[in-house]
Amino acid sequence: MSCWDEPLSISVRGMAPEQPVTLRTALRDETGKLFRAHARYRADPHGELDLARAPALGGSFAGLEPMGLLWAMEPDRPFWRLIKRDVQTPFVVELEVLDGHEPDDGRLLARAVHERHFMAPGVRRVPVREGRVRATLFLPPEPGPYPGIVDLFGVGGGLLEYRASLLAGKGFAVLALAYYNYDDLPKNMDAMRMEYFEEAVNYLLSHPEVKGPGIGLLGISKGGELGLAMASFLKGIKAAVFINGSVAAVGNTIYYKDETIPPVSFLRDRIKVTKDGLLDVVEGLQSPLVETKSVIPVERSDTIFLFLVGQDDHNWKSEFYANEISKRLQAHGKEKPQIICYPEAGHYIEPPYFPLYKAGMHVLVGTNIIFGGEPKPHAMAQVDAWQQLQTFFHKHLGSKN
Ligand SMILES: CCCCCCCCCCCCCCCC(=O)SCCNC(=O)CCNC(=O)[C@H](O)C(C)(C)COP(=O)(O)OP(=O)(O)OC[C@H]1O[C@@H](n2cnc3c(N)ncnc32)[C@H](O)[C@@H]1OP(=O)(O)O
């Protein structure tokens, strides 16, 4: 067994010299959907194969990709995203070695089953219902106090825990925070009130196993937008990492006390249809430079920022948004934030080895849209982004203890 974000070393012994083989992986998600990948290899002169040294000769990917059999998995059902809902159980990956180069016909030579866990041994999972806050807190195994981080996902809502649970294995106390479509929280995201998020920040700051002063914020997509609003309006947020977030309110109004930030307009006539019949909505939002009242007042913030950007994000213009935030901060005498751009990476930059979710349902749009990204560069971006955000948080929230 291993943790989902750890690299695996995969090797095969006992084959004939130079024997052609196909390796294939399969994983079933919690709804029963199958994800699969395969690749053709050739054993070395000793009848051995080590994926750290042998290039794939074709299949779901090609070349030297020791983790390709995981990140290149594709769902049998189109537009299905690999999501881990229950982090207390692993994903079970089945690996098979077949004779020859036909992924479906070769004789089965070997089979292994490997568990990929979302909670490192000793990580503690604490469901949180405090005041209005609905969340799950993950605490590392070793004695605290630890740097605290609030983790936010995006449109769709619910409570996704897999990133927080993995990150707790790296020495952080991480609060996976729901904000709609969960428990007794609102069913839709018409109104986003910062007071709710403030309560969550205060909960984490006052937790005996969280060391202050100040906490971290991690957000993707809509979670990056709301995180930016938190960093702008609320106190106690020292460092923030946003993955493909926004500089403006999108889809709903953001409220804090007597202030409101209305959303930018949708420009339906700028939505394109790709040759595969998918919507491309990347031009579908009015520029925050035109609708300046929708801009989140980031210049008020004293948070230190890291922006992680997929340059092929088709959900919205993440790179432009990150640069605008940077300009606004600097124009107000604030520190220039760090921006890391990943070429050919799409919207859903997840922890390492999650397969690319290139296109699929967009809850706001109500149909399948393209999210962007190419499998290999996107996979590389996920590995790097995961490392970068940990380094950043350790640096700005203090080391492990
Ligand atoms: C008209 C306007 C023009 C606009 C023109 C410009 C637009 C321009 C927009 C840019 C603006 C956006 C900006 C934010 C963009 C983000 O925020 S991107 C999204 C990032 N969000 C996340 O990562 C959070 C994702 N979370 C979720 O989606 C939900 O929590 C979950 C995981 C689906 C669970 O929710 P749930 O309600 O408990 O789930 P469940 O009832 O099982 O399923 C709900 C639906 O999701 C589907 N679903 C469930 N699991 C999966 C899966 N694994 N894979 C695929 N689908 C799944 C189900 O089939 C179901 O669909 P329906 O049957 O209702 O059709």
Side-chain angles (χ1 to χ4, degrees):
M1 59 177 261
S2 57
C3 275
W4 179 266
D5 60 331
E6 287 173 47
L8 282 176
S9 62
I10 300 173
S11 56
V12 187
R13 284 188 296 273
M15 293 168 290
E18 317 282 348
Q19 183 174 350
V21 289
T22 301
L23 267 59
R24 70 178 184 195
T25 41
L27 174 163
R28 229 173 248 291
D29 76 5
E30 290 146 325
T31 68
K33 312 286 187 301
L34 196 59
F35 285 75
R36 295 189 291 177
H38 73 274
R40 294 184 275 276
Y41 288 95
R42 194 172 291 283
D44 70 11
H46 310 286
E48 294 182 3
L49 179 61
D50 181 349
L51 299 204
R53 283 181 283 138
L57 307 172
S60 307
F61 57 91
L64 188 64
E65 296 295 342
M67 289 300 281
L69 287 166
L70 275 102
W71 61 250
M73 285 199 283
E74 287 186 66
D76 281 5
R77 175 174 167 152
F79 310 121
W80 198 253
R81 175 179 166 202
L82 184 62
I83 298 177
K84 188 73 179 98
R85 295 187 185 217
D86 178 4
V87 296
Q88 298 180 94
T89 60
F91 270 147
V92 178
V93 181
E94 183 187 70
L95 174 67
E96 291 181 332
V97 183
L98 304 163
D99 190 19
H101 277 167
E102 286 304 318
D104 297 317
D105 297 342
R107 185 169 54 93
L108 183 66
L109 301 176
R111 183 173 177 273
V113 171
H114 185 82
E115 290 185 355
R116 299 279 279 167
H117 287 257
F118 288 82
M119 288 173 68
V123 166
R124 290 164 286 157
R125 178 180 178 277
V126 185
V128 177
R129 270 182 84 101
E130 283 278 321
R132 281 175 296 182
V133 177
R134 302 291 175 262
T136 307
L137 179 62
F138 291 90
L139 295 164
E142 60 271 18
Y146 329 91
I149 298 171
V150 173
D151 187 16
L152 297 164
F153 275 86
V155 168
L159 181 56
L160 294 178
E161 299 180 345
Y162 59 84
R163 192 169 57 194
S165 65
L166 288 172
L167 205 48
K170 315 293 180 190
F172 302 102
V174 190
L175 186 75
L177 180 64
Y179 52 91
Y180 86 101
N181 186 26
Y182 179 75
D183 199 353
D184 57 353
L185 293 172
K187 277 282 155 259
N188 58 47
M189 45 165 230
D190 293 344
M192 287 292 133
R193 298 189 189 280
M194 281 297 119
E195 285 81 356
Y196 173 76
F197 298 89
E198 188 168 39
E199 220 179 301
V201 170
N202 291 339
Y203 166 80
L204 196 58
L205 270 173
S206 60
H207 193 285
E209 291 192 75
V210 172
K211 77 170 184 195
I215 55 155
L217 263 186
L218 174 59
I220 183 167
S221 190
K222 183 83 196 169
E225 169 199 324
L226 292 169
L228 193 69
M230 290 168 74
S232 306
F233 287 120
L234 309 180
K235 293 191 171 39
I237 299 161
K238 197 164 173 206
V241 179
F242 298 133
I243 304 166
N244 290 328
S246 163
V247 64
V250 176
N252 61 270
T253 302
I254 297 173
Y255 297 89
Y256 185 58
K257 298 194 170 156
D258 55 357
E259 293 192 75
T260 57
I261 305 180
V264 287
S265 305
F266 289 143
L267 304 172
R268 280 162 214 271
D269 54 334
R270 286 216 231 146
I271 295 176
K272 294 197 190 83
V273 182
T274 68
K275 59 179 175 4
D276 307 317
L278 300 165
L279 292 192
D280 184 344
V281 301
V282 74
E283 298 290 340
L285 294 173
Q286 180 56 280
S287 168
L289 301 181
V290 175
E291 292 181 347
T292 50
K293 63 187 185 318
S294 296
V295 174
I296 295 164
V298 62
E299 62 280 359
R300 298 188 197 171
S301 178
D302 289 319
T303 302
I304 305 161
F305 293 103
L306 167 61
F307 296 95
L308 301 172
V309 170
Q311 285 179 312
D312 192 38
D313 186 352
H314 278 262
N315 179 78
W316 56 18
K317 298 183 175 179
S318 297
E319 186 174 4
F320 168 71
Y321 294 163
N323 286 328
E324 280 312 308
I325 296 166
S326 176
K327 280 190 209 161
R328 273 183 93 90
L329 286 169
Q330 290 177 78
H332 288 82
K334 300 281 160 93
E335 202 178 312
K336 184 177 179 180
Q338 196 184 346
I339 303 177
I340 302 176
C341 290
Y342 296 103
E344 295 180 276
H347 186 62
Y348 276 99
I349 298 179
E350 297 262 32
Y353 315 124
F354 275 94
L356 168 64
Y357 191 52
K358 192 182 171 74
M361 179 52 97
H362 197 298
V363 185
L364 271 192
V365 186
T367 185
N368 289 328
I369 72 157
I370 55 168
F371 288 110
E374 291 303 321
K376 182 182 152 70
H378 190 89
M380 286 167 56
Q382 292 189 159
V383 171
D384 189 72
W386 190 235
Q387 206 46 60
Q388 297 279 1
L389 70 87
Q390 288 174 47
T391 305
F392 178 86
F393 282 134
H394 279 306
K395 180 171 169 197
H396 296 292
L397 301 176
S399 60
K400 285 182 185 169
N401 271 307

